[in-house]
């Protein structure tokens, strides 16, 4: 196998439009282990990004010793990326796994046992429910658990306790994806399929550094680009990512201006007559409002607002307007920026205008970041009602009440569910006194970390954390529960293009660790949650029962799992929902007939006003008479709330590197990945570096109104005026660093502000200043194989940290605003 740290995407297996993506099976085994040594291979899928690559886990002597891609899997055709190859199994088998419950005694976390820990949780919970009621309880969960676990948590929260204070870290990654889909089409659910990559003529990546976030999906694009009928690539990103380097047009927009750019692209469709009038007339609403909204956004106006060349806006719009089949993908560059939902809805609007939806090659992928984020949204552990039901629709609430045999009044539906940042605000103010955090690490991933640490450390707040390791968050908990993880439990999850996989238990969890499902079922039983007949609310004995209950809940809804059984998942390799008796093989694309789930009796939301986030309400929505039509949603463009100024002259954005996932809980424990990106850094442009007297590797202080970090500087390819920091790095593995010593976590600087509609934090729009602290001891510890590679002007002074130096050949040094269009797009 090639060095898959250096060769992130592996070798090319080119293919042309309409051909099948060739199979390439990737595999990694522990040192000294050969295939012959493996006792058995256990079916699973990778949980280190939202791609959901099918894989088999190698087991020897009761331990995970490797992984290989599944050749017949519809998602990856055998491939795995560096995180899947190394962190999936190496991230689990470590000496520092939590193996017994911990409880806080005299200010210290001390070892305990399950009986003591769970009774402590249950007695605190009972007391608060008796004295303060359900609003005293909050649950903050993950994008990395399984369907069975999310659904159990959702039933406990909604029918057992009756609290609206439930959310997941999906609020930090895919809340905008869900909301953009709901606003435009009436319900969550990705319209497209990965096979649209195989069939398209052009691919637009909006704020999506796919080359690093979903490396196997990017391999599929690289293979298409290497073959005949190369699709045109358009990239919207302020950094010269690998996507940008491959692109025919790179629109390096000023952070915070995505909406203006999108209006410019849409206006060009009108100006040039690239509209499918028949589709628009039959299947959409709001055309006139859209036309009026974009009128002012000439390419020159966009150039002025976004800091890109007008010619590039025209060229990108032309590619969209003249290609027969366009695939669009959207991720955090849009979701974590200003006016996130409004900007993401314009991607949907572009496709609707041209009728490019529901057909091969015409996908929209409002991407997820985390592997099981989709399931959190489906099951309702993020606060939504399970099965994409509408909390404002009484009939939907009654359906759930009947399913669970509880009083509908118990199910919170008097107001929108509480989003994560509000949930932490309630904990700060004291109305939430019981906060249960499962499989996530908000002490690194939420904005404005000093405040988050203060909240979690409050003596009045009882914090339960269940996780694999003693994370930065777990260290602040009152009770820490050791959880079983991937390969140590059975469950299902769903990737971005609605592909459901089963992950079977391969090995026993370490020590006394238990699955998240076991823990939730235990809590429910101890609390005595019952239905209207006095029977246990959750009488499930394990994942099979939980999954079958979920199938019933999903039946008849857009995410219908009713014909996806464990048996069928075991006998194949991935099935796309909806999957019913009528469509027993699943559904490759949604909306093939141009009918959308917007009917008022069926839709997941009555919609929001995109500027303020105000709900439209049932009456006004019914008056629209959507009747299965999609809706062109718009909002006027507004500048970011924290614009750079004299004191804080630079824009600060955060993001990801190919070698780490989330807060590195698993990836930092895979030695090769950790070596590739061992510590935090900040990137700035050569122009800004020269002006500030900063050289590659210098230690710099980055200061915002909320905090500071002190990290090495990478002089790289980012648009002047912007700086970038990877958000993965916290403090658990840092000897010399800590929030009180040398802070390095990117979210020390970000702000507690969110998108009005999706409530996703605006991680990418803070204002900062940089100061040189001292000379460094060498180049910044940033990978040289990815977007963080050094700028051309400095790269000769930076030895490759991973991989060869040849990857440094395509820098971008043009000043902002100059054309970056490459020839050859068709
Ligand atoms: S692309 Fe994502 S799902 Fe696939 S192997 Fe890599 S991390 Fe895992």
């Amino acid at each position: 196998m090639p060095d898959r740290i250096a060769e992130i995407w592996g070798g090319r297996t080119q293919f042309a439009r309409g051909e099948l993506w060739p199979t390439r099976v990737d595999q990694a085994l522990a040192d000294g282990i050969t295939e012959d040594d493996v006792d058995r291979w256990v079916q699973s899928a990778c949980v280190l990004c939202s791609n959901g690559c099918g894989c088999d886990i190698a087991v020897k002597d009761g331990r995970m010793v490797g992984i290989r891609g599944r050749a017949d899997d519809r998602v990856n055709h055998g491939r795995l990326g560096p995180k899947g190859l190394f962190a999936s199994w190496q991230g689990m088998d470590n000496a520092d796994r939590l193996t017994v419950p911990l409880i806080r005694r005299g200010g210290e976390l001390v070892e305990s046992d399950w009986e003591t820990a769970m009774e402590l949780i249950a007695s605190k919970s009972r007391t608060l429910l008796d004295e303060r009621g359900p609003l005293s309880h909050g649950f903050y969960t993950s994008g990395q658990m399984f369907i069975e676990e999310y659904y159990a948590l959702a039933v406990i929260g909604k029918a057992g306790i009756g609290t609206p204070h439930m959310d997941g870290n999906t609020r930090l990654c895919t809340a905008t994806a869900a909301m953009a889909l709901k606003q435009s089409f009436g319900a969550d659910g990705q319209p497209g399929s990965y096979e649209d990559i195989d069939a398209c003529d052009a691919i637009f990546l909006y704020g999506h550094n796919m080359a690093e976030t979903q490396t196997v999906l990017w391999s599929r694009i690289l293979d298409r680009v290497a073959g005949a009928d190369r699709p045109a690539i358009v990239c919207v990103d302020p950094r010269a990512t690998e996507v940008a380097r491959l692109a025919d047009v790179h629109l390096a927009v000023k952070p915070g201006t995505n909406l203006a750019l999108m209006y410019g692209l849409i206006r060009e469709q009108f100006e040039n007559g690239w509209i499918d009038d028949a589709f628009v007339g039959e299947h959409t609403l709001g055309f006139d409002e859209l036309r009026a909204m974009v009128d002012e956004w000439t390419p020159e106006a966009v150039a002025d607002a976004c800091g890109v060349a007008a010619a590039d806006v025209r060229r990108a719009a032309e590619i969209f307007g003249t290609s027969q089949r366009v695939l669009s993908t959207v991720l955090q560059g849009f979701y974590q920026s200003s006016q996130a939902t409004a900007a993401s809805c314009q991607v949907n609007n572009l496709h609707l205008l041209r009728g490019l939806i529901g057909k091969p090659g015409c996908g929209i992928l409002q991407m997820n970041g985390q592997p099981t984020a989709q399931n959190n949204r489906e099951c309702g552990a993020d606060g939504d009602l399970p099965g994409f039901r509408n909390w404002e629709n009484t009939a939907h609430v009654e359906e759930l009440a009947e399913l669970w045999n509880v009083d509908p009044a118990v199910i919170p539906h008097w107001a929108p569910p509480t989003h994560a940042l509000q949930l932490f605000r309630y904990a700060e103010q004291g109305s939430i006194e019981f906060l249960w955090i499962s499989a996530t690490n908000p002490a690194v991933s939420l904005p404005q970390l000093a405040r988050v640490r203060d909240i979690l450390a409050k003596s009045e707040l009882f914090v339960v954390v269940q996780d694999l390791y003693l994370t930065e968050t777990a260290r602040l908990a009152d009770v820490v529960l050791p959880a079983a993880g991937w390969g140590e439990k059975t469950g299902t999850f769903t990737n971005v293009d609605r592909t459901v996989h089963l992950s079977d238990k391969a090995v026993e969890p370490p020590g006394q660790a238990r699955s998240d499902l076991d823990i939730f079922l235990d809590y429910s039983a101890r609390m005595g949650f019952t239905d209207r007949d006095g029977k246990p609310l959750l009488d499930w004995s394990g994942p099979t029962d939980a999954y079958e209950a979920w199938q019933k809940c999903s039946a008849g809804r857009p995410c219908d799992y009713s014909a996806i059984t464990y048996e069928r998942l075991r006998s194949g390799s991935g099935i796309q929902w909806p999957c019913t008796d009528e469509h027993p093989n699943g559904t490759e694309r949604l909306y093939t007939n141009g009918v959308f789930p917007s009917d008022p009796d069926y839709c997941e939301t009555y919609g929001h006003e995109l500027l303020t986030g105000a709900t439209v309400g049932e009456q006004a929505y019914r008056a629209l008479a959507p009747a299965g039509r999609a809706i062109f949603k718009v909002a006027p463009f507004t500048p970011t709330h924290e614009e750079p100024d004299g004191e804080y002259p630079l824009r600060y954005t955060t993001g990801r590197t190919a070698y780490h996932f989330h807060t590195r809980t698993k990836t930092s424990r895979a030695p090769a990945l950790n070596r590739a990106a061992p510590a935090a850094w900040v990137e700035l442009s050569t122009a800004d570096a020269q002006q500030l007297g900063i050289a590659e590797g210098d230690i710099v202080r980055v200061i915002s109104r909320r905090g500071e970090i002190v990290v090495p500087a990478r002089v790289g390819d980012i648009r002047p005026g912007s700086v970038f920091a990877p958000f993965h790095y916290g403090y658990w593995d840092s000897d010399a660093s800590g929030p009180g010593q040398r802070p390095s976590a990117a979210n020390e600087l970000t702000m507690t502000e969110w998108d009005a509609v999706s409530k996703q934090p605006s991680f990418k729009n803070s204002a900062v200043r940089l100061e040189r602290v001292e000379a460094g001891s060498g180049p910044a510890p940033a990978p040289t194989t990815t977007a963080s590679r050094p700028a051309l002007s400095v790269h000769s002074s930076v030895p490759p940290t991973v991989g060869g130096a040849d990857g440094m050949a395509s820098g971008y040094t043009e000043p902002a605003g100059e054309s970056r269009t490459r020839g050859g797009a068709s």
Side-chain angles (χ1 to χ4, degrees), residues 45-54 67 75-76 79-85 88 213-218 371 658 661:
C46 176
V47 286
L48 287 166
C49 83
S50 59
N51 208 46
C53 297
I67 190 169
V75 168
N76 55 325
R79 289 164 190 74
L80 295 170
K83 292 188 291 254
L85 281 169
S88 54
T213 53
Q214 285 88 16
T215 59
V216 169
L217 201 58
W218 184 241
F661 174 67

Side-chain angles (χ1 to χ4, degrees), residues 411 497 573 773:
I411 301 171
D497 83 338
S573 205
V773 175

Side-chain angles (χ1 to χ4, degrees), residues 120-133:
L120 182 60
I121 293 168
S123 77
K124 183 75 182 174
S125 183
R126 265 186 233 111
T127 304
L128 279 172
L129 286 178
D130 290 346
E131 294 177 0
R132 300 288 175 88

